Amino acid sequence: MAKKYVYFYGGGKKMTDGDRTMREILGGKGANLAEMCNADVPVPPGFTVSTEACAVYEDKGSYPKEMMQQVKVELAKLEKLEGKKLGDAKNPLLLSVRSGAAQSMPGMMDTVLNLGMTDKSVKGFAEATGNPRAAYDCYRRFIDMFGDVVMGPYSTLNHHHFEEALTKIKKKYKAKQDTDLTAEQLAELVDDYKAIYKKHVGKPFPQDPMKQLELSINAVFDSWQTERAVKYRILNKITGLIGTAVNVQTMVFGNMGDDCATGVAFTRDGSTGEAKPMGEYLVNAQGEDVVAGIRTPINLDEIVNEEDQGLVKAGKQLLKIMAKLEKHYKYPQDVEFTIQQGKLYMLQTRNAKRVGLAGVRWAVEMATGVDQMTGEKLPKLLNAKEALMTVQGSDLEQLLFPIFDAKAEAKQTPICSGLPAGPGAAVGAIVLNSDKAEQMKKKNPNQKLILVRHETSPEDVGGMGAAEGILTSTGGMTSHAAVVARGWGKCCICGAGDLKINEKKGTISVGGKTYKEGETISLNGSTGKVYVGEIPSESSPIVAALVEGNKAAKKHWIYKMYEVVSEWSDKFRKINVRTNADSPADSKNARAFGAEGIGLCRTEHMFFEGDRITDVRRFILADTDKERNAAIKKLLPHQRKDFVGIFKAMDGLPVTVRLLDPPLHEFLPHTEADMKKMAKELSVPLSKVQERVAELHEFNPMLGHRGCRLSITYPVLCEMQTRAIIEAAVKVQEKGTKVLPEIMIPLIGTKAELDYLEKIVRRVADEIIKTKKSKVKYMVGTMIEIPRAALTADQVAETAEFFSFGTNDLTQMTFGYSRDDIGSFLPDYLEEKILETDPFQQIDESGVGQLVEMAVQKGRSTRPKLKCGICGEHGGEPNSVKFCVRTGLDYVSCSPYRVPIARLAAAQAALEG
Amino acid sequence: MAKKYVYFYGGGKKMTDGDRTMREILGGKGANLAEMCNADVPVPPGFTVSTEACAVYEDKGSYPKEMMQQVKVELAKLEKLEGKKLGDAKNPLLLSVRSGAAQSMPGMMDTVLNLGMTDKSVKGFAEATGNPRAAYDCYRRFIDMFGDVVMGPYSTLNHHHFEEALTKIKKKYKAKQDTDLTAEQLAELVDDYKAIYKKHVGKPFPQDPMKQLELSINAVFDSWQTERAVKYRILNKITGLIGTAVNVQTMVFGNMGDDCATGVAFTRDGSTGEAKPMGEYLVNAQGEDVVAGIRTPINLDEIVNEEDQGLVKAGKQLLKIMAKLEKHYKYPQDVEFTIQQGKLYMLQTRNAKRVGLAGVRWAVEMATGVDQMTGEKLPKLLNAKEALMTVQGSDLEQLLFPIFDAKAEAKQTPICSGLPAGPGAAVGAIVLNSDKAEQMKKKNPNQKLILVRHETSPEDVGGMGAAEGILTSTGGMTSHAAVVARGWGKCCICGAGDLKINEKKGTISVGGKTYKEGETISLNGSTGKVYVGEIPSESSPIVAALVEGNKAAKKHWIYKMYEVVSEWSDKFRKINVRTNADSPADSKNARAFGAEGIGLCRTEHMFFEGDRITDVRRFILADTDKERNAAIKKLLPHQRKDFVGIFKAMDGLPVTVRLLDPPLHEFLPHTEADMKKMAKELSVPLSKVQERVAELHEFNPMLGHRGCRLSITYPVLCEMQTRAIIEAAVKVQEKGTKVLPEIMIPLIGTKAELDYLEKIVRRVADEIIKTKKSKVKYMVGTMIEIPRAALTADQVAETAEFFSFGTNDLTQMTFGYSRDDIGSFLPDYLEEKILETDPFQQIDESGVGQLVEMAVQKGRSTRPKLKCGICGEHGGEPNSVKFCVRTGLDYVSCSPYRVPIARLAAAQAALEG
């Protein structure tokens, strides 16, 4: 039997082939259309060409043989169900052709509407609907879309050419709006359009609807690999998809008169999280008009106040269906609908996108059944476990974002305002062009930018990614800019209609005043207000409560919600979460965020502070052991003091301290001027400084004289650091604090390295403990960050009491990628799908992960209770945390602000598996 | 039962505890002393304190408890056997105390002689021997040695202080030689020595012989870790030893009169390999005098002509025992002997050290029973397999060393001559100080040096290592300089007595002429002749025969011997040996040395030659694909031509070609001047060159944009190189040459990288083959040099048809060591035994080797017939080759001149296992 590539939907459960579980092959849209049909929701019937067909097309460059045959069969079924025929001279069927991958990529791929319009069927349509104006309007729209989308890539044709002809004919007949054109005038326009088509494409506009359909399916498949689609997938870390499905669907018309409308709606507010339907619609319009943000749409609340009672009735039905869908999917939905002459059609439903706040709020409210702001009762849709699984790490992350200082903001007058499309606060320099924004960010990653555009399109995603916030002058809450920004948790204000943008001059003007590119503006994405200059921002209530000790903030509903999620996380997770912290302040903050100890305290940071660098440099320049020892001695009290503070902050919790790691040249100046300064400060000749700098130069510092290699050359370093740690521990413990120091030797590749330094550490530590008659207990362990250490972990564990995976270096060496140089080829690798993700962001499970698993297994074969953790950047990345849980690590360690995210991910991993 | 730490030998087989198999715990010397006792060879009896005791001492800083008790027991046994008592007032026993590790380290550790001499026993000794002069001479020598060796490290005392007293007393009594001093004068000297001892040590000279013994054992143990001993082990790659044994032995005296002698001898000539005993002795002397090279000794041949008939008889017995020992050990022996009043004592036997030529000759002659130079018959001691196992890779390597051009040398008059202690030819600049030689070599590794010294001592080993050749003015064929140089296969001339060295002035003078440090001299280590200036050197007969096409050389006995060894090697080995060659010439040479194909052809070398670099730079500077393609196109004919030559040279054998590997910045100039030149040549602004250089700069180029990463960014590179390879193959095959190209993609870390490039390679290659209707077959494979590739080898092998292990990079990444920067810590690592060997020289089996094993196993699990080879530097290192054989690789690949060594090692590995 031939493989099935085409799936019918419509006509109720009986006729529908698919369901919601089939999103991998039907795409999200196709699977949900089928699901809605199964649930008797009114959906225009149609069929879905599967993603598997797209995969064949991608791979072989042509359709699978059976596909078009199957399309014909399903089309015949559709024609029968609808009682219309494609291209018919009397009652023609019109179709839409839309992309739909397994994961949503809004606006990234192509769509063709009104397919089936020909010189013959346009008349049939006019006749059947009694609306010749609508017929010719559809036809001319179809020629435009087909010409631009389907033939554009193969010719010089594009939308712009049709726009010109439209403007010309409007001028000719003195029509202000498109809607002022009559049927005859539109018929004339159709002739103009066909002529334009022929001129650019070299062939007449195709009058065979099957040809139209085949070419359109083709175009949707092609759009899978356009630059903007590929870029979107990279930016959104969408991987593992085989292609897009194509949804062919009976056209319904929101533009057939004032009893028609089209719109999009959410069952809950994706911005505030409020459990109340929100949406927008346009009367007498096609769906794309809403998404494109060309006309400013009407709030969904208004639909019950419409004059046309058909619209009112359909609107009420919509609200009921939305509630049903939310309950059915157990998650807030994002729907598209069209009302054609008072009849409601649902065109799409999907799990709604939302900002972090809404994501958390939805989860908490769906599980508790209580509105978190008002205390009102809501339907319970999920239990706590299910609810926790819907929260993403990035949701929590967004809750920690700063917001404007309310008082400072109150003193300012906004220069304009728009729709609060993406909450949070953003401050940055105005930039009017996306490419420019990308380039500026590349040159100076610290530069904060606000991208200001009329409206955004998929071509702008790069620039949007580079900006702190986005401001548009047109478009609504569901415009491209709004949807993309919310998906990223980025601050965004849309439809600030007063704003005039002059890209050529590089200025924006509003209220008679003009501002240049580069001037600073501030956006409040939660209110939609735009200010000139920088408004000081304010911490999130969570940060205020936990870090800043603001007691009032603890009563804030957002903070309380955070507490619910934290409680759930801690209840379900099975591993510990520690933090990477180098100072008493960081340690305290991390503890407030739930850290259960320090997994990585980098001592080198302590070497740079204040005067210490001078002694470090004295040490580096020393010619004799005596000089070296003298310099080191001066560092001891400073280091000890740091540890005292950290141990106090971590009372009762373990603290892993890593001995000095970076190569010595990092502590020396590199410019002539700085070297002169250093020579003067240290009273040595400049030549001596220069010589030492030259001597310490390395070709590949990442693979050079650093980590444990330093302490082996200069054991005094290891001695001093051990002394500082243990003396601090003894001192603090005497005063009643419980200390659990874990001394960590970095960059071990062989057991012998560890043995050599472990002996020194124990000699120094035991002597202090004995002399002071202290009861401090300490552990000695190592980082596993060199592949060889992982490979020989059974030997290393003979000495090491714990392993901490330094997955940054381990990734560098396992791949042979320098983190500092990867920029030259990583973009190519992601684009060509050679890498699915940046392995420095998300742990590479099959390579680096294999080494981690091997090391844990081998290490525990020698020392069954070996404590294992991770302290690389991956320790705060949700997918990597899940990997760590599966691998049996005892803890993950990450930066303080990522601790809540790691706790969540750890819980999710436990629930998953 | 207490552990046994002390082993008796002497008194025949019945009383002897050990045998030759116990060298790990008795050391080489101790095991062989026991073995000789078992074989009834006359040996002064004694006992050996085991290396295990040394290990405890090293580890804990003190003897194992039982040890001194056991020493007392064995000492009592010895006293009984000899009928003498230690410290006795009438017939005292005197002892020697010598080190002896499991591997020979000549002169590196401490020795104490005449132990047991006290104020009391000196009188007993005088009485018992009737020789008071000898008694006081022994006593003063003992005080000197004990003071210097045993107490020196803990006081200001050293040999120099005693020398001064000796000179003083000789002056006082107008004695020319030490031997001119009378018993009374020596007794006075003993008093002086004791005073000196007390002054520097702070205590009187110990009169308790047991105390003397304990302190001396202590000193030998301590000498295991002296800087020079550690350095020697590093230089000689001696690893895995736990410590030294201590041999306590009854003293015998070669200095009791003219019927006494002491000497060293070899059963065969260690320099020419001739099967004839050779040796040297001194009449009326102690053994250390021979080794130290202070007096020039007599050739062993002369012993039968001695006046003293006791000496003659003992000499004849010696020759018989030497023949017996050679037969017993099945290998030429190096013996030490002493004749005391006509009675022969063997003090040591061990497998003799020899230069490479002798090593090969011994092996061939022991197995064939034919003298290779003369055709005379010799005893057959070994079969071919056994004989092959005695040849070392370095022996063969030495046979390939150059010798002086005979005609050019004949025209020169030598300025002086000495003993031909280490054969071969050496040319270099005079340097008179070992430290200086080491420093000069470090600064400029290309500088050729000749170290010129009065005599060398263990302190000179560093300088000797740095020099091309060694020239001494005193000392014989068995002096320190000679033994060490021969062990290394280094050119050495000893005892050039006419030479006067003035280290202060930095000059040497001979025959009234003076030469300064830095002037060039030439040494013929095979004849002992020294020349001023550079004499052109000549290839070895093997190189002449194989590389230079010298037909006469094929009849040379050395070449014939090489053929025997090669034949044996090829008969026993089971894996192939290929070569790393980048040019037709190298390919031809390698094939002559037995290479069975090319395992690594590095194409980047072809990018530098002649004008090509200009096109490469044009490619790098190109702004557009068009420019890039144009530049690449120009390189194509050059590359193709190279491959044509290589394929022809390798007719019928496989050739693995690696695609471009180094980062692009390696092809750009780095100085301002060179950049200007390049800008001019390419007619581009200097700023453009500078910008590109800056752009391509990398922090860690080893982990940067190189290898397959380049071809993924610029697929045109891969296309051009594939085209050149396949077009060359097609062309050459058309003319009847059989080509087997294997295209190798470097630096693969993921299967996706390989897939991406494999597709390009196959597309280009198949198109050419199809167009040309050729039958060329090619393979596509990859280097395994990134840890991740080894870890995921099962996936990589889905695409790769072969693996070639690039163990240089694999070692870098597995250890996290930059080969270019390792110098800053490797010496410390070797000294502290953190690494046993440099992992870039000998493969690290437990880490890097583990990855190789894993990759072979995983790769073959996917593709059972996967061809696996190695092409890193390790491919020519004998131990690494053996590892490759054990791991099941199909071939090793190494530089042309190392091919014979790899063949030998492969055969040895097969025989071993």
PDB file of all heavy atoms in Angstrom, chain A residues 131-143:
ATOM      1  N   ASN A 131     -22.277  38.544  -5.354  1.00  0.00           N
ATOM      2  CA  ASN A 131     -21.401  39.641  -4.936  1.00  0.00           C
ATOM      3  C   ASN A 131     -20.220  39.757  -5.896  1.00  0.00           C
ATOM      4  O   ASN A 131     -19.102  39.347  -5.612  1.00  0.00           O
ATOM      5  CB  ASN A 131     -20.908  39.354  -3.509  1.00  0.00           C
ATOM      6  CG  ASN A 131     -20.255  40.585  -2.879  1.00  0.00           C
ATOM      7  OD1 ASN A 131     -19.813  41.500  -3.593  1.00  0.00           O
ATOM      8  ND2 ASN A 131     -20.180  40.588  -1.559  1.00  0.00           N
ATOM      9  N   PRO A 132     -20.460  40.301  -7.095  1.00  0.00           N
ATOM     10  CA  PRO A 132     -19.365  40.381  -8.081  1.00  0.00           C
ATOM     11  C   PRO A 132     -18.186  41.211  -7.573  1.00  0.00           C
ATOM     12  O   PRO A 132     -17.036  40.931  -7.900  1.00  0.00           O
ATOM     13  CB  PRO A 132     -20.025  41.026  -9.293  1.00  0.00           C
ATOM     14  CG  PRO A 132     -21.306  41.606  -8.818  1.00  0.00           C
ATOM     15  CD  PRO A 132     -21.713  40.865  -7.585  1.00  0.00           C
ATOM     16  N   ARG A 133     -18.479  42.193  -6.759  1.00  0.00           N
ATOM     17  CA  ARG A 133     -17.361  43.001  -6.241  1.00  0.00           C
ATOM     18  C   ARG A 133     -16.394  42.132  -5.440  1.00  0.00           C
ATOM     19  O   ARG A 133     -15.173  42.164  -5.624  1.00  0.00           O
ATOM     20  CB  ARG A 133     -17.903  44.125  -5.346  1.00  0.00           C
ATOM     21  CG  ARG A 133     -16.882  45.211  -5.188  1.00  0.00           C
ATOM     22  CD  ARG A 133     -17.052  46.138  -4.017  1.00  0.00           C
ATOM     23  NE  ARG A 133     -15.780  46.777  -3.777  1.00  0.00           N
ATOM     24  CZ  ARG A 133     -14.808  46.209  -3.085  1.00  0.00           C
ATOM     25  NH1 ARG A 133     -14.952  44.990  -2.583  1.00  0.00           N
ATOM     26  NH2 ARG A 133     -13.661  46.858  -2.928  1.00  0.00           N
ATOM     27  N   ALA A 134     -16.988  41.333  -4.526  1.00  0.00           N
ATOM     28  CA  ALA A 134     -16.168  40.440  -3.708  1.00  0.00           C
ATOM     29  C   ALA A 134     -15.410  39.459  -4.601  1.00  0.00           C
ATOM     30  O   ALA A 134     -14.232  39.141  -4.361  1.00  0.00           O
ATOM     31  CB  ALA A 134     -17.021  39.668  -2.715  1.00  0.00           C
ATOM     32  N   ALA A 135     -16.066  38.965  -5.658  1.00  0.00           N
ATOM     33  CA  ALA A 135     -15.441  38.004  -6.558  1.00  0.00           C
ATOM     34  C   ALA A 135     -14.164  38.576  -7.165  1.00  0.00           C
ATOM     35  O   ALA A 135     -13.098  37.963  -7.111  1.00  0.00           O
ATOM     36  CB  ALA A 135     -16.415  37.601  -7.660  1.00  0.00           C
ATOM     37  N   TYR A 136     -14.269  39.778  -7.724  1.00  0.00           N
ATOM     38  CA  TYR A 136     -13.090  40.362  -8.381  1.00  0.00           C
ATOM     39  C   TYR A 136     -12.036  40.798  -7.365  1.00  0.00           C
ATOM     40  O   TYR A 136     -10.833  40.761  -7.627  1.00  0.00           O
ATOM     41  CB  TYR A 136     -13.499  41.483  -9.348  1.00  0.00           C
ATOM     42  CG  TYR A 136     -14.110  40.891 -10.613  1.00  0.00           C
ATOM     43  CD1 TYR A 136     -15.488  40.766 -10.778  1.00  0.00           C
ATOM     44  CD2 TYR A 136     -13.247  40.402 -11.620  1.00  0.00           C
ATOM     45  CE1 TYR A 136     -16.026  40.175 -11.907  1.00  0.00           C
ATOM     46  CE2 TYR A 136     -13.793  39.805 -12.749  1.00  0.00           C
ATOM     47  CZ  TYR A 136     -15.173  39.695 -12.900  1.00  0.00           C
ATOM     48  OH  TYR A 136     -15.673  39.106 -14.017  1.00  0.00           O
ATOM     49  N   ASP A 137     -12.525  41.198  -6.177  1.00  0.00           N
ATOM     50  CA  ASP A 137     -11.556  41.555  -5.129  1.00  0.00           C
ATOM     51  C   ASP A 137     -10.737  40.315  -4.741  1.00  0.00           C
ATOM     52  O   ASP A 137      -9.506  40.378  -4.586  1.00  0.00           O
ATOM     53  CB  ASP A 137     -12.296  42.113  -3.910  1.00  0.00           C
ATOM     54  CG  ASP A 137     -11.339  42.765  -2.925  1.00  0.00           C
ATOM     55  OD1 ASP A 137     -10.378  43.461  -3.380  1.00  0.00           O
ATOM     56  OD2 ASP A 137     -11.518  42.580  -1.706  1.00  0.00           O
ATOM     57  N   CYS A 138     -11.448  39.175  -4.593  1.00  0.00           N
ATOM     58  CA  CYS A 138     -10.738  37.930  -4.274  1.00  0.00           C
ATOM     59  C   CYS A 138      -9.754  37.552  -5.386  1.00  0.00           C
ATOM     60  O   CYS A 138      -8.634  37.127  -5.122  1.00  0.00           O
ATOM     61  CB  CYS A 138     -11.723  36.771  -4.099  1.00  0.00           C
ATOM     62  SG  CYS A 138     -12.583  36.805  -2.545  1.00  0.00           S
ATOM     63  N   TYR A 139     -10.229  37.691  -6.596  1.00  0.00           N
ATOM     64  CA  TYR A 139      -9.379  37.299  -7.726  1.00  0.00           C
ATOM     65  C   TYR A 139      -8.113  38.142  -7.748  1.00  0.00           C
ATOM     66  O   TYR A 139      -7.007  37.631  -7.862  1.00  0.00           O
ATOM     67  CB  TYR A 139     -10.179  37.450  -9.033  1.00  0.00           C
ATOM     68  CG  TYR A 139      -9.578  36.743 -10.248  1.00  0.00           C
ATOM     69  CD1 TYR A 139      -8.472  35.880 -10.113  1.00  0.00           C
ATOM     70  CD2 TYR A 139     -10.133  36.930 -11.529  1.00  0.00           C
ATOM     71  CE1 TYR A 139      -7.945  35.236 -11.223  1.00  0.00           C
ATOM     72  CE2 TYR A 139      -9.603  36.287 -12.649  1.00  0.00           C
ATOM     73  CZ  TYR A 139      -8.502  35.442 -12.489  1.00  0.00           C
ATOM     74  OH  TYR A 139      -7.960  34.814 -13.585  1.00  0.00           O
ATOM     75  N   ARG A 140      -8.295  39.467  -7.628  1.00  0.00           N
ATOM     76  CA  ARG A 140      -7.096  40.310  -7.712  1.00  0.00           C
ATOM     77  C   ARG A 140      -6.171  40.058  -6.512  1.00  0.00           C
ATOM     78  O   ARG A 140      -4.952  40.039  -6.658  1.00  0.00           O
ATOM     79  CB  ARG A 140      -7.469  41.784  -7.848  1.00  0.00           C
ATOM     80  CG  ARG A 140      -8.083  42.456  -6.648  1.00  0.00           C
ATOM     81  CD  ARG A 140      -7.087  43.352  -5.903  1.00  0.00           C
ATOM     82  NE  ARG A 140      -7.692  43.839  -4.667  1.00  0.00           N
ATOM     83  CZ  ARG A 140      -7.006  44.338  -3.673  1.00  0.00           C
ATOM     84  NH1 ARG A 140      -5.673  44.406  -3.730  1.00  0.00           N
ATOM     85  NH2 ARG A 140      -7.611  44.762  -2.580  1.00  0.00           N
ATOM     86  N   ARG A 141      -6.733  39.773  -5.338  1.00  0.00           N
ATOM     87  CA  ARG A 141      -5.908  39.433  -4.180  1.00  0.00           C
ATOM     88  C   ARG A 141      -5.145  38.132  -4.438  1.00  0.00           C
ATOM     89  O   ARG A 141      -3.972  37.982  -4.061  1.00  0.00           O
ATOM     90  CB  ARG A 141      -6.756  39.243  -2.925  1.00  0.00           C
ATOM     91  CG  ARG A 141      -7.212  40.551  -2.274  1.00  0.00           C
ATOM     92  CD  ARG A 141      -8.191  40.258  -1.141  1.00  0.00           C
ATOM     93  NE  ARG A 141      -8.783  41.459  -0.584  1.00  0.00           N
ATOM     94  CZ  ARG A 141      -8.352  42.037   0.561  1.00  0.00           C
ATOM     95  NH1 ARG A 141      -7.352  41.509   1.239  1.00  0.00           N
ATOM     96  NH2 ARG A 141      -8.936  43.126   1.005  1.00  0.00           N
ATOM     97  N   PHE A 142      -5.835  37.165  -5.049  1.00  0.00           N
ATOM     98  CA  PHE A 142      -5.194  35.886  -5.334  1.00  0.00           C
ATOM     99  C   PHE A 142      -4.021  36.038  -6.307  1.00  0.00           C
ATOM    100  O   PHE A 142      -2.939  35.500  -6.098  1.00  0.00           O
ATOM    101  CB  PHE A 142      -6.221  34.890  -5.892  1.00  0.00           C
ATOM    102  CG  PHE A 142      -5.623  33.578  -6.320  1.00  0.00           C
ATOM    103  CD1 PHE A 142      -4.806  32.858  -5.441  1.00  0.00           C
ATOM    104  CD2 PHE A 142      -5.852  33.049  -7.583  1.00  0.00           C
ATOM    105  CE1 PHE A 142      -4.242  31.652  -5.826  1.00  0.00           C
ATOM    106  CE2 PHE A 142      -5.289  31.834  -7.967  1.00  0.00           C
ATOM    107  CZ  PHE A 142      -4.478  31.132  -7.095  1.00  0.00           C
ATOM    108  N   ILE A 143      -4.261  36.823  -7.388  1.00  0.00           N
ATOM    109  CA  ILE A 143      -3.162  37.027  -8.355  1.00  0.00           C
ATOM    110  C   ILE A 143      -1.970  37.662  -7.656  1.00  0.00           C
ATOM    111  O   ILE A 143      -0.822  37.258  -7.842  1.00  0.00           O
ATOM    112  CB  ILE A 143      -3.628  37.901  -9.549  1.00  0.00           C
ATOM    113  CG1 ILE A 143      -4.771  37.203 -10.288  1.00  0.00           C
ATOM    114  CG2 ILE A 143      -2.456  38.153 -10.501  1.00  0.00           C
ATOM    115  CD1 ILE A 143      -5.453  38.099 -11.317  1.00  0.00           C
TER     116      ILE A 143
END
